Amino acid sequence: MVKKIILLLIAVLIIYSAVIIAIPHYNYYAFKSEVREILRLTITEKNLQLNAEIMKLAEQYDIPITEDNIVLWQKNEIYYTKISWGKTVSFLGLYEKTFEFYFDTSE
């Protein structure tokens, strides 16, 4: 009986850790995909509006960025961006890990 409880606790901790790690990574990939789509559909010169849209998406995906983290430029009527941020995840208050995220749409 004790072994089953211990195994159950270990399984719950593994699942909890996987979820805690997966959430920031899911947000990264979803945010990256939506930003690429916005930039692909943008044709006119509207840098300020693009920054506002990117910031709105970041807020939606709980991504801690500021305007300083966004580098936006236009080349041949196509917009590109570089965005970087870090997200700290706490495992039951005992251990903290910071994940650094970065993407460049010009690649």
Side-chain angles (χ1 to χ4, degrees):
M1 181 70 172
V2 174
K3 281 186 178 181
K4 289 182 181 180
I5 292 174
I6 291 173
L7 289 175
L8 181 62
L9 285 174
I10 290 171
V12 166
L13 285 174
I14 290 171
I15 291 170
Y16 171 77
S17 298
V19 168
I20 291 296
I21 291 171
I23 289 172
H25 287 85
Y26 168 78
N27 288 342
Y28 164 72
Y29 287 111
F31 177 70
K32 181 179 173 180
S33 174
E34 288 200 34
V35 168
R36 284 181 185 230
E37 191 65 29
I38 287 172
L39 294 177
R40 191 174 303 132
L41 296 175
T42 302
I43 298 172
T44 63
E45 298 222 8
K46 51 183 182 179
N47 286 358
L48 295 176
Q49 188 177 7
L50 280 174
N51 277 347
E53 288 181 41
I54 291 171
M55 291 302 294
K56 189 185 317 180
L57 277 176
E59 189 176 306
Q60 177 184 343
Y61 286 108
D62 190 30
I63 294 175
I65 62 172
T66 62
E67 298 263 343
D68 299 335
N69 298 102
I70 302 170
V71 177
L72 186 65
W73 73 94
Q74 183 180 16
K75 182 178 178 185
N76 298 331
E77 306 253 340
I78 298 173
Y79 281 96
Y80 299 100
T81 189
K82 291 181 187 179
I83 303 175
S84 62
W85 71 93
K87 181 75 172 183
T88 302
V89 175
S90 176
F91 295 96
L92 300 173
L94 302 173
Y95 176 74
E96 286 188 351
K97 170 76 175 166
T98 300
F99 295 104
E100 298 294 327
F101 296 103
Y102 169 82
F103 73 88
D104 182 354
T105 60
S106 66
E107 296 175 344

PDB file of all heavy atoms in Angstrom, residues 43-70:
ATOM      1  N   ILE A  43       1.508  44.744 -44.930  1.00  0.00           N
ATOM      2  CA  ILE A  43       2.132  45.277 -46.144  1.00  0.00           C
ATOM      3  C   ILE A  43       2.491  46.746 -45.973  1.00  0.00           C
ATOM      4  O   ILE A  43       3.548  47.187 -46.388  1.00  0.00           O
ATOM      5  CB  ILE A  43       1.187  45.099 -47.354  1.00  0.00           C
ATOM      6  CG1 ILE A  43       0.919  43.614 -47.582  1.00  0.00           C
ATOM      7  CG2 ILE A  43       1.774  45.730 -48.597  1.00  0.00           C
ATOM      8  CD1 ILE A  43      -0.145  43.334 -48.607  1.00  0.00           C
ATOM      9  N   THR A  44       1.642  47.516 -45.353  1.00  0.00           N
ATOM     10  CA  THR A  44       1.861  48.962 -45.260  1.00  0.00           C
ATOM     11  C   THR A  44       2.831  49.314 -44.139  1.00  0.00           C
ATOM     12  O   THR A  44       3.185  48.472 -43.327  1.00  0.00           O
ATOM     13  CB  THR A  44       0.521  49.681 -45.001  1.00  0.00           C
ATOM     14  OG1 THR A  44       0.022  49.238 -43.750  1.00  0.00           O
ATOM     15  CG2 THR A  44      -0.453  49.410 -46.107  1.00  0.00           C
ATOM     16  N   GLU A  45       3.229  50.567 -44.089  1.00  0.00           N
ATOM     17  CA  GLU A  45       4.140  51.041 -43.050  1.00  0.00           C
ATOM     18  C   GLU A  45       3.342  51.407 -41.810  1.00  0.00           C
ATOM     19  O   GLU A  45       2.676  52.433 -41.777  1.00  0.00           O
ATOM     20  CB  GLU A  45       4.909  52.256 -43.557  1.00  0.00           C
ATOM     21  CG  GLU A  45       5.757  51.940 -44.744  1.00  0.00           C
ATOM     22  CD  GLU A  45       7.118  52.598 -44.641  1.00  0.00           C
ATOM     23  OE1 GLU A  45       7.428  53.157 -43.593  1.00  0.00           O
ATOM     24  OE2 GLU A  45       7.845  52.527 -45.621  1.00  0.00           O
ATOM     25  N   LYS A  46       3.411  50.580 -40.820  1.00  0.00           N
ATOM     26  CA  LYS A  46       2.701  50.853 -39.571  1.00  0.00           C
ATOM     27  C   LYS A  46       3.425  50.192 -38.395  1.00  0.00           C
ATOM     28  O   LYS A  46       2.908  49.314 -37.728  1.00  0.00           O
ATOM     29  CB  LYS A  46       1.252  50.399 -39.654  1.00  0.00           C
ATOM     30  CG  LYS A  46       1.031  48.970 -40.120  1.00  0.00           C
ATOM     31  CD  LYS A  46      -0.449  48.683 -40.232  1.00  0.00           C
ATOM     32  CE  LYS A  46      -0.666  47.230 -40.646  1.00  0.00           C
ATOM     33  NZ  LYS A  46      -2.055  46.891 -40.740  1.00  0.00           N
ATOM     34  N   ASN A  47       4.638  50.640 -38.137  1.00  0.00           N
ATOM     35  CA  ASN A  47       5.464  50.068 -37.073  1.00  0.00           C
ATOM     36  C   ASN A  47       4.804  50.143 -35.708  1.00  0.00           C
ATOM     37  O   ASN A  47       4.827  49.180 -34.950  1.00  0.00           O
ATOM     38  CB  ASN A  47       6.818  50.777 -37.007  1.00  0.00           C
ATOM     39  CG  ASN A  47       7.719  50.383 -38.140  1.00  0.00           C
ATOM     40  OD1 ASN A  47       7.361  49.550 -38.969  1.00  0.00           O
ATOM     41  ND2 ASN A  47       8.885  50.980 -38.197  1.00  0.00           N
ATOM     42  N   LEU A  48       4.227  51.298 -35.375  1.00  0.00           N
ATOM     43  CA  LEU A  48       3.631  51.464 -34.057  1.00  0.00           C
ATOM     44  C   LEU A  48       2.442  50.530 -33.863  1.00  0.00           C
ATOM     45  O   LEU A  48       2.252  49.969 -32.789  1.00  0.00           O
ATOM     46  CB  LEU A  48       3.211  52.914 -33.839  1.00  0.00           C
ATOM     47  CG  LEU A  48       4.352  53.929 -33.794  1.00  0.00           C
ATOM     48  CD1 LEU A  48       3.799  55.335 -33.678  1.00  0.00           C
ATOM     49  CD2 LEU A  48       5.286  53.620 -32.641  1.00  0.00           C
ATOM     50  N   GLN A  49       1.667  50.361 -34.917  1.00  0.00           N
ATOM     51  CA  GLN A  49       0.524  49.462 -34.825  1.00  0.00           C
ATOM     52  C   GLN A  49       0.997  48.012 -34.689  1.00  0.00           C
ATOM     53  O   GLN A  49       0.399  47.240 -33.947  1.00  0.00           O
ATOM     54  CB  GLN A  49      -0.374  49.619 -36.049  1.00  0.00           C
ATOM     55  CG  GLN A  49      -1.676  48.872 -35.938  1.00  0.00           C
ATOM     56  CD  GLN A  49      -2.568  49.123 -37.144  1.00  0.00           C
ATOM     57  OE1 GLN A  49      -2.158  49.741 -38.109  1.00  0.00           O
ATOM     58  NE2 GLN A  49      -3.772  48.624 -37.080  1.00  0.00           N
ATOM     59  N   LEU A  50       2.063  47.637 -35.377  1.00  0.00           N
ATOM     60  CA  LEU A  50       2.603  46.282 -35.254  1.00  0.00           C
ATOM     61  C   LEU A  50       3.104  46.029 -33.836  1.00  0.00           C
ATOM     62  O   LEU A  50       2.858  44.961 -33.272  1.00  0.00           O
ATOM     63  CB  LEU A  50       3.740  46.061 -36.247  1.00  0.00           C
ATOM     64  CG  LEU A  50       3.326  45.757 -37.673  1.00  0.00           C
ATOM     65  CD1 LEU A  50       4.539  45.700 -38.579  1.00  0.00           C
ATOM     66  CD2 LEU A  50       2.575  44.453 -37.737  1.00  0.00           C
ATOM     67  N   ASN A  51       3.822  46.994 -33.271  1.00  0.00           N
ATOM     68  CA  ASN A  51       4.282  46.833 -31.894  1.00  0.00           C
ATOM     69  C   ASN A  51       3.109  46.648 -30.939  1.00  0.00           C
ATOM     70  O   ASN A  51       3.162  45.827 -30.033  1.00  0.00           O
ATOM     71  CB  ASN A  51       5.130  48.029 -31.459  1.00  0.00           C
ATOM     72  CG  ASN A  51       6.558  47.913 -31.901  1.00  0.00           C
ATOM     73  OD1 ASN A  51       7.002  46.850 -32.331  1.00  0.00           O
ATOM     74  ND2 ASN A  51       7.294  48.997 -31.809  1.00  0.00           N
ATOM     75  N   ALA A  52       2.053  47.401 -31.139  1.00  0.00           N
ATOM     76  CA  ALA A  52       0.865  47.281 -30.282  1.00  0.00           C
ATOM     77  C   ALA A  52       0.224  45.901 -30.424  1.00  0.00           C
ATOM     78  O   ALA A  52      -0.183  45.293 -29.433  1.00  0.00           O
ATOM     79  CB  ALA A  52      -0.137  48.371 -30.622  1.00  0.00           C
ATOM     80  N   GLU A  53       0.150  45.391 -31.656  1.00  0.00           N
ATOM     81  CA  GLU A  53      -0.424  44.057 -31.878  1.00  0.00           C
ATOM     82  C   GLU A  53       0.437  42.976 -31.230  1.00  0.00           C
ATOM     83  O   GLU A  53      -0.082  42.041 -30.626  1.00  0.00           O
ATOM     84  CB  GLU A  53      -0.569  43.778 -33.369  1.00  0.00           C
ATOM     85  CG  GLU A  53      -1.671  44.553 -34.037  1.00  0.00           C
ATOM     86  CD  GLU A  53      -1.802  44.221 -35.517  1.00  0.00           C
ATOM     87  OE1 GLU A  53      -1.698  43.031 -35.866  1.00  0.00           O
ATOM     88  OE2 GLU A  53      -1.994  45.154 -36.306  1.00  0.00           O
ATOM     89  N   ILE A  54       1.757  43.112 -31.355  1.00  0.00           N
ATOM     90  CA  ILE A  54       2.659  42.135 -30.748  1.00  0.00           C
ATOM     91  C   ILE A  54       2.554  42.184 -29.226  1.00  0.00           C
ATOM     92  O   ILE A  54       2.527  41.147 -28.559  1.00  0.00           O
ATOM     93  CB  ILE A  54       4.106  42.370 -31.228  1.00  0.00           C
ATOM     94  CG1 ILE A  54       4.226  42.010 -32.717  1.00  0.00           C
ATOM     95  CG2 ILE A  54       5.094  41.559 -30.403  1.00  0.00           C
ATOM     96  CD1 ILE A  54       5.542  42.402 -33.351  1.00  0.00           C
ATOM     97  N   MET A  55       2.460  43.369 -28.665  1.00  0.00           N
ATOM     98  CA  MET A  55       2.314  43.497 -27.212  1.00  0.00           C
ATOM     99  C   MET A  55       0.987  42.903 -26.733  1.00  0.00           C
ATOM    100  O   MET A  55       0.922  42.285 -25.673  1.00  0.00           O
ATOM    101  CB  MET A  55       2.427  44.959 -26.794  1.00  0.00           C
ATOM    102  CG  MET A  55       3.806  45.556 -26.946  1.00  0.00           C
ATOM    103  SD  MET A  55       5.071  44.689 -26.013  1.00  0.00           S
ATOM    104  CE  MET A  55       4.538  45.032 -24.348  1.00  0.00           C
ATOM    105  N   LYS A  56      -0.076  43.074 -27.532  1.00  0.00           N
ATOM    106  CA  LYS A  56      -1.369  42.500 -27.175  1.00  0.00           C
ATOM    107  C   LYS A  56      -1.291  40.972 -27.183  1.00  0.00           C
ATOM    108  O   LYS A  56      -1.817  40.302 -26.286  1.00  0.00           O
ATOM    109  CB  LYS A  56      -2.443  42.969 -28.153  1.00  0.00           C
ATOM    110  CG  LYS A  56      -3.846  42.598 -27.714  1.00  0.00           C
ATOM    111  CD  LYS A  56      -4.929  42.936 -28.724  1.00  0.00           C
ATOM    112  CE  LYS A  56      -4.788  44.275 -29.374  1.00  0.00           C
ATOM    113  NZ  LYS A  56      -5.862  44.546 -30.353  1.00  0.00           N
ATOM    114  N   LEU A  57      -0.602  40.408 -28.184  1.00  0.00           N
ATOM    115  CA  LEU A  57      -0.418  38.956 -28.231  1.00  0.00           C
ATOM    116  C   LEU A  57       0.417  38.472 -27.047  1.00  0.00           C
ATOM    117  O   LEU A  57       0.134  37.419 -26.468  1.00  0.00           O
ATOM    118  CB  LEU A  57       0.283  38.543 -29.531  1.00  0.00           C
ATOM    119  CG  LEU A  57      -0.581  38.391 -30.759  1.00  0.00           C
ATOM    120  CD1 LEU A  57       0.282  38.085 -31.965  1.00  0.00           C
ATOM    121  CD2 LEU A  57      -1.602  37.295 -30.557  1.00  0.00           C
ATOM    122  N   ALA A  58       1.447  39.223 -26.706  1.00  0.00           N
ATOM    123  CA  ALA A  58       2.289  38.839 -25.577  1.00  0.00           C
ATOM    124  C   ALA A  58       1.484  38.809 -24.288  1.00  0.00           C
ATOM    125  O   ALA A  58       1.653  37.906 -23.463  1.00  0.00           O
ATOM    126  CB  ALA A  58       3.462  39.805 -25.455  1.00  0.00           C
ATOM    127  N   GLU A  59       0.609  39.764 -24.128  1.00  0.00           N
ATOM    128  CA  GLU A  59      -0.247  39.793 -22.940  1.00  0.00           C
ATOM    129  C   GLU A  59      -1.198  38.599 -22.940  1.00  0.00           C
ATOM    130  O   GLU A  59      -1.434  37.973 -21.911  1.00  0.00           O
ATOM    131  CB  GLU A  59      -1.040  41.098 -22.927  1.00  0.00           C
ATOM    132  CG  GLU A  59      -1.784  41.352 -21.656  1.00  0.00           C
ATOM    133  CD  GLU A  59      -2.452  42.709 -21.687  1.00  0.00           C
ATOM    134  OE1 GLU A  59      -1.760  43.713 -21.935  1.00  0.00           O
ATOM    135  OE2 GLU A  59      -3.680  42.747 -21.455  1.00  0.00           O
ATOM    136  N   GLN A  60      -1.714  38.260 -24.108  1.00  0.00           N
ATOM    137  CA  GLN A  60      -2.626  37.124 -24.238  1.00  0.00           C
ATOM    138  C   GLN A  60      -1.943  35.815 -23.853  1.00  0.00           C
ATOM    139  O   GLN A  60      -2.559  34.962 -23.218  1.00  0.00           O
ATOM    140  CB  GLN A  60      -3.137  37.048 -25.678  1.00  0.00           C
ATOM    141  CG  GLN A  60      -4.035  35.874 -25.973  1.00  0.00           C
ATOM    142  CD  GLN A  60      -4.414  35.831 -27.443  1.00  0.00           C
ATOM    143  OE1 GLN A  60      -4.280  36.793 -28.171  1.00  0.00           O
ATOM    144  NE2 GLN A  60      -4.874  34.683 -27.888  1.00  0.00           N
ATOM    145  N   TYR A  61      -0.688  35.642 -24.226  1.00  0.00           N
ATOM    146  CA  TYR A  61       0.046  34.411 -23.946  1.00  0.00           C
ATOM    147  C   TYR A  61       0.897  34.495 -22.680  1.00  0.00           C
ATOM    148  O   TYR A  61       1.723  33.625 -22.441  1.00  0.00           O
ATOM    149  CB  TYR A  61       0.931  34.036 -25.139  1.00  0.00           C
ATOM    150  CG  TYR A  61       0.139  33.488 -26.291  1.00  0.00           C
ATOM    151  CD1 TYR A  61      -0.038  34.237 -27.450  1.00  0.00           C
ATOM    152  CD2 TYR A  61      -0.455  32.242 -26.217  1.00  0.00           C
ATOM    153  CE1 TYR A  61      -0.775  33.742 -28.508  1.00  0.00           C
ATOM    154  CE2 TYR A  61      -1.197  31.736 -27.268  1.00  0.00           C
ATOM    155  CZ  TYR A  61      -1.356  32.492 -28.404  1.00  0.00           C
ATOM    156  OH  TYR A  61      -2.088  31.999 -29.448  1.00  0.00           O
ATOM    157  N   ASP A  62       0.697  35.530 -21.873  1.00  0.00           N
ATOM    158  CA  ASP A  62       1.415  35.707 -20.615  1.00  0.00           C
ATOM    159  C   ASP A  62       2.928  35.688 -20.831  1.00  0.00           C
ATOM    160  O   ASP A  62       3.672  34.994 -20.141  1.00  0.00           O
ATOM    161  CB  ASP A  62       0.995  34.625 -19.615  1.00  0.00           C
ATOM    162  CG  ASP A  62       1.514  34.904 -18.215  1.00  0.00           C
ATOM    163  OD1 ASP A  62       1.672  36.093 -17.878  1.00  0.00           O
ATOM    164  OD2 ASP A  62       1.786  33.942 -17.476  1.00  0.00           O
ATOM    165  N   ILE A  63       3.372  36.461 -21.820  1.00  0.00           N
ATOM    166  CA  ILE A  63       4.788  36.557 -22.147  1.00  0.00           C
ATOM    167  C   ILE A  63       5.294  37.906 -21.634  1.00  0.00           C
ATOM    168  O   ILE A  63       4.783  38.948 -22.032  1.00  0.00           O
ATOM    169  CB  ILE A  63       5.005  36.410 -23.659  1.00  0.00           C
ATOM    170  CG1 ILE A  63       4.605  34.990 -24.069  1.00  0.00           C
ATOM    171  CG2 ILE A  63       6.443  36.708 -24.036  1.00  0.00           C
ATOM    172  CD1 ILE A  63       4.655  34.731 -25.542  1.00  0.00           C
ATOM    173  N   PRO A  64       6.294  37.879 -20.751  1.00  0.00           N
ATOM    174  CA  PRO A  64       6.764  39.116 -20.111  1.00  0.00           C
ATOM    175  C   PRO A  64       7.746  39.904 -20.974  1.00  0.00           C
ATOM    176  O   PRO A  64       8.948  39.850 -20.768  1.00  0.00           O
ATOM    177  CB  PRO A  64       7.449  38.597 -18.840  1.00  0.00           C
ATOM    178  CG  PRO A  64       7.966  37.253 -19.239  1.00  0.00           C
ATOM    179  CD  PRO A  64       6.962  36.707 -20.211  1.00  0.00           C
ATOM    180  N   ILE A  65       7.234  40.622 -21.960  1.00  0.00           N
ATOM    181  CA  ILE A  65       8.111  41.455 -22.786  1.00  0.00           C
ATOM    182  C   ILE A  65       7.674  42.908 -22.679  1.00  0.00           C
ATOM    183  O   ILE A  65       6.549  43.207 -22.304  1.00  0.00           O
ATOM    184  CB  ILE A  65       8.123  41.024 -24.278  1.00  0.00           C
ATOM    185  CG1 ILE A  65       6.749  41.156 -24.910  1.00  0.00           C
ATOM    186  CG2 ILE A  65       8.679  39.635 -24.436  1.00  0.00           C
ATOM    187  CD1 ILE A  65       6.739  40.923 -26.407  1.00  0.00           C
ATOM    188  N   THR A  66       8.620  43.782 -23.034  1.00  0.00           N
ATOM    189  CA  THR A  66       8.327  45.204 -23.116  1.00  0.00           C
ATOM    190  C   THR A  66       8.641  45.646 -24.541  1.00  0.00           C
ATOM    191  O   THR A  66       9.143  44.857 -25.345  1.00  0.00           O
ATOM    192  CB  THR A  66       9.187  46.010 -22.130  1.00  0.00           C
ATOM    193  OG1 THR A  66      10.561  45.834 -22.473  1.00  0.00           O
ATOM    194  CG2 THR A  66       8.950  45.571 -20.695  1.00  0.00           C
ATOM    195  N   GLU A  67       8.365  46.889 -24.832  1.00  0.00           N
ATOM    196  CA  GLU A  67       8.663  47.425 -26.164  1.00  0.00           C
ATOM    197  C   GLU A  67      10.162  47.317 -26.463  1.00  0.00           C
ATOM    198  O   GLU A  67      10.561  47.205 -27.613  1.00  0.00           O
ATOM    199  CB  GLU A  67       8.213  48.880 -26.256  1.00  0.00           C
ATOM    200  CG  GLU A  67       6.728  49.078 -26.070  1.00  0.00           C
ATOM    201  CD  GLU A  67       5.979  49.167 -27.384  1.00  0.00           C
ATOM    202  OE1 GLU A  67       6.603  49.393 -28.417  1.00  0.00           O
ATOM    203  OE2 GLU A  67       4.755  49.004 -27.342  1.00  0.00           O
ATOM    204  N   ASP A  68      11.002  47.355 -25.423  1.00  0.00           N
ATOM    205  CA  ASP A  68      12.451  47.267 -25.614  1.00  0.00           C
ATOM    206  C   ASP A  68      12.897  45.887 -26.093  1.00  0.00           C
ATOM    207  O   ASP A  68      13.967  45.750 -26.673  1.00  0.00           O
ATOM    208  CB  ASP A  68      13.183  47.599 -24.314  1.00  0.00           C
ATOM    209  CG  ASP A  68      12.894  49.009 -23.847  1.00  0.00           C
ATOM    210  OD1 ASP A  68      12.560  49.858 -24.694  1.00  0.00           O
ATOM    211  OD2 ASP A  68      13.005  49.260 -22.637  1.00  0.00           O
ATOM    212  N   ASN A  69      12.098  44.847 -25.812  1.00  0.00           N
ATOM    213  CA  ASN A  69      12.442  43.495 -26.229  1.00  0.00           C
ATOM    214  C   ASN A  69      12.124  43.223 -27.699  1.00  0.00           C
ATOM    215  O   ASN A  69      12.516  42.188 -28.229  1.00  0.00           O
ATOM    216  CB  ASN A  69      11.694  42.462 -25.386  1.00  0.00           C
ATOM    217  CG  ASN A  69      12.040  42.538 -23.929  1.00  0.00           C
ATOM    218  OD1 ASN A  69      11.266  43.078 -23.159  1.00  0.00           O
ATOM    219  ND2 ASN A  69      13.189  42.038 -23.553  1.00  0.00           N
ATOM    220  N   ILE A  70      11.412  44.132 -28.350  1.00  0.00           N
ATOM    221  CA  ILE A  70      10.975  43.932 -29.731  1.00  0.00           C
ATOM    222  C   ILE A  70      11.829  44.783 -30.667  1.00  0.00           C
ATOM    223  O   ILE A  70      11.891  45.997 -30.516  1.00  0.00           O
ATOM    224  CB  ILE A  70       9.495  44.321 -29.906  1.00  0.00           C
ATOM    225  CG1 ILE A  70       8.611  43.502 -28.973  1.00  0.00           C
ATOM    226  CG2 ILE A  70       9.060  44.132 -31.353  1.00  0.00           C
ATOM    227  CD1 ILE A  70       7.186  43.979 -28.920  1.00  0.00           C
TER     228      ILE A  70
END
